[in-house]
Amino acid sequence: QVQLVESGGGLVQPGGSLRLSCAASGKIASCFRMGWYHQATGKQRELVAEITSGGTTNYGAAMKGRFTISRGNGKNTVYLQMNSLKPEDTAVYSCYCDYLSRNWGQGTQVTVSS
């Protein structure tokens, strides 16, 4: 069983920055791919960013140029640096790890508001 724990969410003003972290643990060798989705109230879940163990990245269109995803020195840690945050970035951000199947964290709230 794989457990994922996210941290770093919170309240930030428009134009500000936040850094999310996610660590996977349990009976796991390596997450082939890790990433983040977000879901705003009343909207569909949307890809934020993802990264493979080899470093290949993929970003949602609205996040390109503002967000940066990276893997930690440990195999199963992923970070999401979010800059130039906008009110429309407000959502629950959930981390995932692809190991045998897709495993999800519980999510962390990000609120962008003045």
Side-chain angles (χ1 to χ4, degrees):
Q1 189 174 1
V2 179
Q3 297 86 36
L4 290 102
V5 178
E6 300 118 328
S7 61
L11 173 65
V12 63
Q13 292 187 341
S17 298
L18 279 177
R19 187 179 190 233
L20 304 183
S21 301
C22 174
S25 62
K27 294 183 177 180
I28 181 172
S30 176
C31 300
F32 167 71
R33 180 184 294 110
M34 297 188 77
W36 298 87
Y37 276 70
H38 71 193
Q39 186 166 21
T41 302
K43 295 188 177 181
Q44 287 189 329
R45 188 167 59 183
E46 180 183 27
L47 173 69
V48 177
E50 58 189 5
I51 183 169
T52 68
S53 56
T56 300
T57 58
N58 182 38
Y59 291 90
M63 294 76 183
K64 288 181 180 178
R66 298 189 299 125
F67 293 7
T68 302
I69 191 169
S70 60
R71 297 285 287 257
N73 289 332
K75 296 179 181 178
N76 301 322
T77 304
V78 66
Y79 304 101
L80 183 68
Q81 178 67 42
M82 304 186 293
N83 299 327
S84 302
L85 283 161
K86 306 174 182 179
E88 51 264 43
D89 294 319
T90 295
V92 174
Y93 285 68
S94 298
C95 167
Y96 72 86
C97 157
D98 285 342
Y99 175 71
L100 301 180
S101 62
R102 181 153 289 184
N103 305 274
W104 291 94
Q106 79 287 354
T108 185
Q109 177 70 44
V110 172
T111 302
V112 184
S113 175
S114 55

